[in-house]
Every structure is written in structure tokens, then in C-alpha cells.
Amino acid sequence: ASCETDECSVTPSPCGADQTCVDPNKAADKLHDFECACNNDMITKKVDGPVAACVVDECASSPCGMGQTCVDGDTKASSMGDYTCECANGVMAIGKPATCEMGTTDECASNPPPCGTDQDCTDPNTTGTSLNDFICACRTGSGSEVGAAAACKVNECDTSPCGPGQDCTDTMLTSTGDFECTCRAPKTGTSTGSAATCEFDECATMPSPCEVGQTCTDPVKTDASLKDFSCECANGASATGAAAICETDECASSPCGADQICNDPNTASNKMHDFECTCKSDPNLKAVDGPATCDKDECKSKPCGASQTCNDPVKSLR
């Protein structure tokens, strides 16, 4: 017996929904001979499989020039090259861009405009045969482009966005908010997209605002808080906004002799070498910043005999 097999009777159909399936020979030994034909174009067929595309809109690829209207009246796959391009003034062409009449194609007048909102558009040649020659020029900054919107270059530093005493740098001229503010020395600090908060370490100045041997600390380094540094002595004495007055008693090291009295009239750290040494034997004999030369009459102890006269010509301490 000869069994029949209609390859088109299966569900779903081996052809697409917009295609008709025909099996010309249903014999069991005649498989893979069915045909798929487009419903809108029975001429376009394919054996043993669906047609790739029954509907082809040629206008989808924008084959016409700028300012022209594209119409594809017959989207059958077998009807290619039949689209029309129509100019605003009515001039048409089939299967290619139309040649619009002279002086009627101002590309800058298209909607939407071909340039950016902050750009000026100029079409130096408005003939239909001279398209895509419009010029977009930036209103602010610099930059222009022919046939397309310009990439405007704006140096944000031109508006002086940084504070006084700061340097502005803008390396990416095609983007906004990326300028950098850098504080000038001796201040430090940087910021991107806004003015920097400059820091000034008063303790880092030369010479130091504190005296030698004192520790300088600047807790807040902004411009608004100057003279807030502190100077601290080794003994804990401190001052704010100025060098500290550390007490240093020079007599504590006993710089005078055993028979002398030491007096330091000013123990401030910035008043050194002013101690006085006064002879105990004679308060009128004294010296500053060192031991005094005290007179000592050795004859007062009567070192000579009763019948002898003692004379001490040099009465300095021996």
C-alpha cells in the first residue's frame, strides 16, 4: 500500500503564520518537498522551510536624504527597490534619494533641528544636491561640526569657579563638573567640581611661630581659623596664637660659687643668661651670667705673727 503524508498538516505549520504551506507530493517516500509561500506574494517561495521575510519595509534603513519622506507602498519581499523619496517641495524619486530643487532644502529648518539646543545651525548651500553640509557651531565655549551636532568644548575655569588663592584646571572640556580647584602653597587642599577648602598649617611656617623647644599644634587649619595654634613648653606652660612663656630658673643649676647668692630676675624662657651672682661677703660685688669675683682679705684671719705686719695685695678669692 502507498501511505500518504501531508507535511503541511502538522501543527504548528512548518511555514510561518503569514505564509501558505503546499505539499505537492504526499507520498511517504516524498518528504521535505513542501513549499512555503508568502500570503502577500505567492511568487516568493521556499522549499522545505519558511521564507525568511515576507514583509520588507525598505524605508526602515532611511535610504532617502535628510528632509525627504520615504514611502514603501509594496512591502513584498519580491518588490524591492520600489520605495519613493519625496522632497518637501514635492520632487520625488523611486528607489533612490530625490534631487530636490535648488534653494528649497534648508537643512537647519528641519524638525527637530539637527544641531543641539545651545548651538547655531548654518546651511551654506541649500540646494537639494548639497545635503549634510550644514554647520553646527557652539554658542558657548568652542567647537563646530559639519553635518552633525558639535561636541562643544567649554572650559569651566573661564567662569572662575574656584575661590581666591586657588588654581583651576579643566582637562575634560566636553563634560561639566569635572574642573579641579587646587589651593596655592603654603595652603593645601583640592576639590573636583567646586571650590576647595584650603588648609593652612600655621605650625608649618618658617620660622616657627613658637620658640625653640616648644611644641606647636594647629587644631583647625582653615582660613577662617587663623592664630589658633598653640605653643607648649616642656613643663606644660602654653599659649595660643603666640609663643609660650616657659619659666626657666637659671639658678636651679647653681651656676654661682658656694659663697655667692644666685638670683634670676626673669625666669621666662626668652630671658636667658640674665641671672646674677652676688658675693655673700660683699653684696656690692656681683656679676651677670656667671660667678662674681669676690674679695677676701686673708689678713683678717691673722696668719702672721704678733710682731709681723700682714698685707694681702690681691684680695680675690683663692
Side-chain angles (χ1 to χ4, degrees):
S2 177
C3 300
E4 292 187 349
T5 301
D6 186 354
E7 294 183 273
C8 292
S9 64
V10 299
T11 302
S13 172
C15 301
D18 58 347
Q19 301 176 31
T20 299
C21 182
V22 178
D23 190 354
N25 194 329
K26 301 179 178 61
D29 59 347
K30 296 294 184 177
L31 298 177
H32 304 294
D33 62 342
F34 68 92
E35 294 180 344
C36 295
C38 296
N39 293 336
N40 69 338
D41 184 6
M42 297 304 291
I43 298 175
T44 302
K45 301 179 181 181
K46 185 180 179 183
V47 178
D48 194 23
V51 177
C54 291
V55 178
V56 179
D57 184 359
E58 295 183 89
C59 290
S61 62
S62 302
C64 301
M66 181 175 290
Q68 299 184 26
T69 302
C70 181
V71 177
D72 189 359
D74 189 348
T75 57
K76 296 177 183 178
S78 60
S79 298
M80 301 296 289
D82 62 341
Y83 65 92
T84 60
C85 295
E86 184 175 359
C87 302
N89 59 6
V91 176
M92 300 175 60
I94 298 175
K96 62 180 181 179
T99 301
C100 302
E101 291 182 359
M102 300 286 287
T104 59
T105 306
D106 184 357
E107 295 182 272
C108 294
S110 61
N111 190 16
C115 301
T117 55
D118 58 346
Q119 302 178 25
D120 292 321
C121 182
T122 305
D123 192 353
N125 193 335
T126 57
T127 62
T129 56
S130 180
L131 298 177
N132 295 321
D133 63 342
F134 63 92
I135 301 172
C136 294
C138 301
R139 291 174 188 163
T140 58
S142 60
S144 62
E145 189 71 29
V146 177
C152 297
K153 298 178 180 180
V154 178
N155 191 334
E156 296 182 275
C157 293
D158 291 341
T159 60
S160 302
C162 302
Q166 301 181 28
D167 294 320
C168 183
T169 305
D170 189 0
T171 55
M172 299 294 292
L173 301 179
T174 56
S175 58
T176 58
D178 60 346
F179 64 91
E180 186 172 272
C181 296
T182 304
C183 301
R184 297 186 192 131
K187 300 177 183 179
T188 59
T190 60
S191 177
T192 300
S194 62
T197 300
C198 297
E199 293 187 347
F200 177 55
D201 189 350
E202 295 183 271
C203 293
T205 59
M206 294 299 291
S208 173
C210 301
E211 297 289 343
V212 177
Q214 299 181 17
T215 301
C216 184
T217 305
D218 190 357
V220 182
K221 300 178 178 64
T222 60
D223 285 344
S225 59
L226 297 178
K227 295 293 182 181
D228 65 336
F229 67 92
S230 64
C231 297
E232 185 174 358
C233 306
N235 61 5
S238 64
T240 300
I245 298 177
C246 306
E247 292 188 355
T248 303
D249 188 355
E250 295 184 273
C251 290
S253 61
S254 300
C256 302
D259 59 343
Q260 299 180 32
I261 299 173
C262 182
N263 178 47
D264 189 354
N266 196 330
T267 57
S269 60
N270 58 349
K271 296 292 183 180
M272 302 294 288
H273 306 293
D274 63 340
F275 67 93
E276 292 180 347
C277 293
T278 304
C279 297
K280 294 178 181 179
S281 60
D282 187 350
N284 294 318
L285 299 176
K286 58 182 65 179
V288 177
D289 194 24
T293 300
C294 300
D295 285 342
K296 183 177 181 180
D297 189 352
E298 295 183 275
C299 290
K300 287 184 179 181
S301 62
K302 298 180 180 181
C304 300
S307 61
Q308 298 178 15
T309 301
C310 182
N311 180 42
D312 187 1
V314 181
K315 299 181 176 60
S316 61
L317 181 64
R318 294 185 177 87

